[in-house]
Amino acid sequence: MRFTSTESITDWETGARDNVLIAVESRPSLLYNQLFGASLSGIITSVLRVAIFLLCLVFAIIELLALWMAIR
């Protein structure tokens, strides 16, 4: 992926701050990791991930029971 961004710089002689335009080239997987990496880790998200997985299992069992009852 290619995109443009700005980078903050400081002129060492005057101490003035400015932004310059830079061209960035990166892989989407690195961008996704940077954007969503922090939100996909931690105890709360781990608990939510397990809870959603268990909920899926419960609904799968309900569906299998409904199918089994319909066949009988």
Side-chain angles (χ1 to χ4, degrees):
M1 289 185 86
R2 291 183 179 161
F3 57 94
T4 57
S5 184
T6 59
E7 179 69 24
S8 176
I9 62 167
T10 303
D11 184 352
W12 291 102
E13 292 179 7
T14 64
R17 298 195 62 145
D18 196 8
N19 289 322
V20 294
L21 192 63
I22 59 171
V24 179
E25 187 171 333
S26 182
R27 295 185 306 229
S29 59
L30 292 175
L31 294 175
Y32 296 144
N33 189 27
Q34 188 71 18
L35 290 171
F36 304 112
S39 65
L40 296 177
S41 63
I43 187 72
I44 294 175
T45 53
S46 296
V47 169
L48 285 174
R49 192 177 310 132
V50 169
I52 290 172
F53 179 75
L54 291 175
L55 186 64
C56 288
L57 284 177
V58 167
F59 279 114
I61 291 170
I62 291 171
E63 287 290 328
L64 288 173
L65 286 174
L67 180 63
W68 182 66
M69 294 298 277
I71 292 174
R72 274 180 79 196

